[in-house]
Amino acid sequence: MDLSLSAEHRQLREVAREFTADRITPHAARWDRDESIDRDLVPALGKIGFLGIGVPEEHGGSGGDHLAYCLVLEELAAGDSAVRGIVSVSLGLVAKTIARAGADAQRERWLPGLCSGALLGCFALTEPDTGSDAGSLAASATRVAGGWRLSGRKVFITNGTWADVALVFARTGGPGPRGVTAFLVPTDSPGFTAREIRGKLGMRGQATAELLLDDVPVPDDALLGEEGGGFALAMAALDRGRMSVAAGCVGAARGSLEAALRYAREREQFGRPIAGFQLVQELLADMAVETDAARLLTWRCADLADRGEPFRTEASMAKLYASEASVRVADRAVQVLGGYGYLDDHPVAKHLRDTRVTTLYEGTSQIQRLLIGRALTGVSAFT
């Protein structure tokens, strides 16, 4: 096993690190207070190629493998997890799903714009009454002449008010996962309304919305994949999405650790830097170990995906550990900084608020444990 990065991967990581230092980190606190990232960051992310990693160049993407994707997401999240979330959803959940499952016409219509940053996508799965139990979603798609009519509500949808296309999952058949179908819905369609959700604990810079679908008309060619195959598409996207979340959590944890290290070397108490105190070193050591462990779990997942091997359980492991570790690391960073860690003059309070949601979305920690347990035992704990 070779854990060293290729020259290309190291160069990409350096490019992402410089981009983050220049375009993200200086503005992250303001975006958090304003509850909005500057919109001109999106085409900048596209221009540098970060919105097209993993999408073939013939479809407008920038190519690259899953490890390259994880490296970039780690760097973006070290600056601002909200930026990482924009990329993870528009590229990881939407564009990559279109690239894998879309018809040629769908790829031609959507992928160049999504990869360039001219367009953004959102992933409309979660509903007010169906989060973890996504197979029981209630949004409906009714067959009409020449297409479908979509009705229902979606909630907690990242990029929801910014998106140009929504990947909407709606029920076309009977109950359960096999009745769910995926549709590519332009957000300017009649009957499509997005309402921004504000006042979030963290991830405040990214647009999060409730979507209202009021008899939205979509043509037959908006159907993505097979009728009744939407749930399988969603779960495949979330497998990769969990890897994306894990990579972002590594970045946030690293950002917390680096901030704590800087402060510990500079802050003096009792006549010397607090970095020289044993209990502070214990906090820092635990933070470093958890960050590296989360990174290795994430890289294992990326390696399996790049080799074409199954990685569903490994994605759950990476997402479970990295999300919870990032919260613990950020919390310890606040402890190292003391009262200053409680202020947004330092990034650690923001990392703590941002990482908290990663234990909830794209499968809660409890769901990940059930998925891992099922893989270990062969027995499903789901009813």
Side-chain angles (χ1 to χ4, degrees):
M1 178 180 293
D2 184 3
L3 294 176
S4 61
L5 296 177
S6 68
E8 292 78 9
H9 283 133
R10 290 196 301 272
Q11 182 180 22
L12 177 64
R13 183 176 63 182
E14 188 59 31
V15 168
R17 189 165 294 182
E18 291 176 358
F19 180 89
T20 298
D22 180 49
R23 295 298 304 270
I24 297 175
T25 303
H27 311 290
R30 173 174 59 83
W31 292 339
D32 185 64
R33 296 187 195 105
D34 294 346
E35 296 191 54
S36 181
I37 289 168
D38 294 338
R39 287 292 296 267
D40 63 2
L41 184 68
V42 174
L45 288 165
K47 183 177 181 179
I48 202 168
F50 294 164
L51 286 171
I53 296 176
V55 175
E57 293 181 17
E58 59 264 32
H59 299 313
S62 46
D65 56 16
H66 290 85
L67 180 56
Y69 182 51
C70 288
L71 292 172
V72 168
L73 293 182
E74 177 180 333
E75 296 305 323
L76 296 179
D80 190 344
S81 289
V83 176
R84 190 277 307 164
I86 291 171
V87 176
S88 288
V89 171
S90 189
L91 170 57
L93 295 183
V94 180
K96 289 187 177 183
T97 300
I98 297 172
R100 286 194 306 273
D104 288 341
Q106 292 172 327
R107 295 189 185 106
E108 291 171 6
R109 179 179 183 184
W110 297 115
L111 289 181
L114 290 170
C115 293
S116 71
L119 304 176
L120 271 182
C122 67
F123 189 79
L125 178 64
T126 300
E127 298 182 359
D129 296 321
T130 54
S132 296
D133 187 15
S136 297
L137 61 82
S140 64
T142 304
R143 171 74 78 174
V144 296
W148 305 80
R149 295 275 178 168
L150 274 57
S151 296
R153 293 172 62 201
K154 303 290 181 176
V155 72
F156 303 129
I157 307 303
T158 299
N159 297 344
T161 53
W162 284 18
D164 302 278
V165 59
L167 177 48
V168 177
F169 297 88
R171 187 163 302 285
T172 56
R178 294 184 180 180
V180 177
T181 299
F183 298 89
L184 292 169
V185 182
T187 58
D188 60 359
S189 300
F192 187 105
T193 303
R195 296 176 178 172
E196 186 172 2
I197 297 172
R198 297 179 70 86
K200 296 174 293 184
L201 176 67
M203 299 287 198
R204 295 164 67 91
Q206 68 184 27
T208 304
E210 177 186 24
L211 306 183
L212 306 178
L213 308 173
D214 184 11
D215 216 23
V216 177
V218 293
D220 278 324
D221 61 11
L223 193 150
L224 182 65
E226 301 282 337
E227 182 177 344
F231 187 79
L233 279 182
M235 293 304 103
L238 289 176
D239 287 341
R240 288 172 170 80
R242 287 162 184 160
M243 177 174 58
S244 303
V245 171
C249 287
V250 173
R254 199 194 81 215
S256 297
L257 173 60
E258 290 174 348
L261 283 169
R262 286 194 300 270
Y263 183 83
R265 292 178 180 127
E266 297 169 357
R267 173 69 166 173
E268 291 191 0
Q269 290 288 278
F270 304 102
R272 58 182 173 135
I274 64 172
F277 292 110
Q278 290 181 352
L279 294 180
V280 173
Q281 289 191 3
E282 178 186 40
L283 289 170
L284 295 171
D286 287 345
M287 293 162 66
V289 170
E290 292 217 75
T291 301
D292 274 8
R295 182 182 292 110
L296 290 172
L297 283 169
T298 304
W299 283 14
R300 178 181 69 167
C301 184
D303 179 62
L304 289 170
D306 285 333
R307 289 191 280 116
E309 297 186 15
F311 62 93
R312 173 163 289 177
T313 301
E314 289 78 9
S316 287
M317 289 180 175
K319 197 269 184 184
L320 169 64
Y321 185 82
S323 63
E324 297 203 340
S326 66
V327 176
R328 291 191 296 267
V329 170
D331 184 63
R332 290 183 181 119
V334 171
Q335 196 70 17
V336 171
L337 271 70
Y340 292 104
Y342 212 64
L343 304 176
D344 63 5
D345 291 341
H346 296 273
V348 295
K350 182 178 185 305
H351 284 312
L352 180 57
R353 290 186 289 104
D354 286 347
T355 55
R356 185 61 184 85
V357 75
T358 65
T359 70
L360 302 176
Y361 64 22
E362 299 200 29
T364 65
S365 292
Q366 287 69 35
I367 289 294
Q368 303 313 316
R369 288 184 169 92
L370 292 180
L371 293 172
I372 296 165
R374 182 173 64 187
L376 291 172
T377 66
V379 179
S380 177
F382 294 93
T383 56

